[in-house]
Amino acid sequence: MIRVLLVDDHPIVRTGLRTALAGVDGVELVAEVATGEEAVAVTERLRPDVVLMDLQLGPGINGAEATRRIRALPDPARVLVLTTYDSEADILAAIEAGATGYLLKDTDPAALVPAIRTAARGETVLAPNVASRLVARFQAPAQSLTPREIAVLQLVADGHSNKAAARALFVTEATVKSHLVQVFMKLGVDSRTAAVSAARLRGLVR
């Protein structure tokens, strides 16, 4: 029996998913929650096999952060993202957080249960257009980052602030910020987290 926790802040969505999973052989919906904090707490308490996770959850932590916390638990549940958001930043943040799969809410209901079973086995499941985005990102020529830009990005990936990175590289904080702006433009992202995720996917940083 695959035990599923549903995380979504929209009651009508939870109702639809509950209906879709009702009576499905080998799948049991053990709980529904509306916030990221509840998702972590209930996962820790009930130990579901798969968490169906929306990304935007209103006040509190978002789905990517909830995924990160769930995946940090001992013997963690698999997290299958189910959301309306398909930007590269959202996809990369979820995958970097440890999500096993990424589906969109326009997914054919008939594909949901097989996706849950796939995720429960620890296998990756991606919506077709999400997979296409990732393949395109891998295949696109990495606009060449300079050695200094890669050095800055590696320090960011290691958790250094701009000020700490500047000290490590013997440059000013303004120089670090300038390098990061160039990195964001070249990788097509808009945040430090997304830059690190994109760079890791491309093998540019550890």
Side-chain angles (χ1 to χ4, degrees), residues 15-35:
T15 298
L17 289 170
R18 187 190 318 128
T19 301
L21 296 177
V24 172
D25 186 45
V27 176
E28 177 188 7
L29 183 61
V30 296
E32 305 170 20
V33 298
T35 70

Side-chain angles (χ1 to χ4, degrees), residues 125-140:
V125 54
L126 299 172
N129 58 334
V130 170
S132 297
R133 281 175 179 268
L134 292 178
V135 169
R137 176 171 281 273
F138 275 120
Q139 292 178 340

Side-chain angles (χ1 to χ4, degrees), residues 123-168:
E123 299 172 13
T124 301
V125 54
L126 299 172
N129 58 334
V130 170
S132 297
R133 281 175 179 268
L134 292 178
V135 169
R137 176 171 281 273
F138 275 120
Q139 292 178 340
Q143 293 190 48
S144 40
L145 300 187
T146 67
R148 182 46 62 97
E149 288 166 351
I150 292 174
V152 169
L153 195 52
Q154 183 64 65
L155 288 167
V156 170
D158 291 340
H160 290 69
S161 65
N162 288 353
K163 184 179 291 187
R167 284 199 303 268

Side-chain angles (χ1 to χ4, degrees), residues 70-99:
I70 287 170
R71 294 298 298 163
L73 295 171
D75 191 23
R78 308 291 184 180
V79 178
L80 177 57
V81 170
L82 183 63
T83 186
T84 58
Y85 301 91
D86 64 350
S87 73
E88 287 190 5
D90 288 318
I91 296 166
L92 290 170
I95 291 174
E96 176 68 17

Side-chain angles (χ1 to χ4, degrees), residues 138 150 197-206:
F138 275 120
I150 292 174
S197 296
R200 281 180 173 154
L201 279 173
R202 294 183 179 191
L204 298 176
V205 300
R206 297 185 300 275

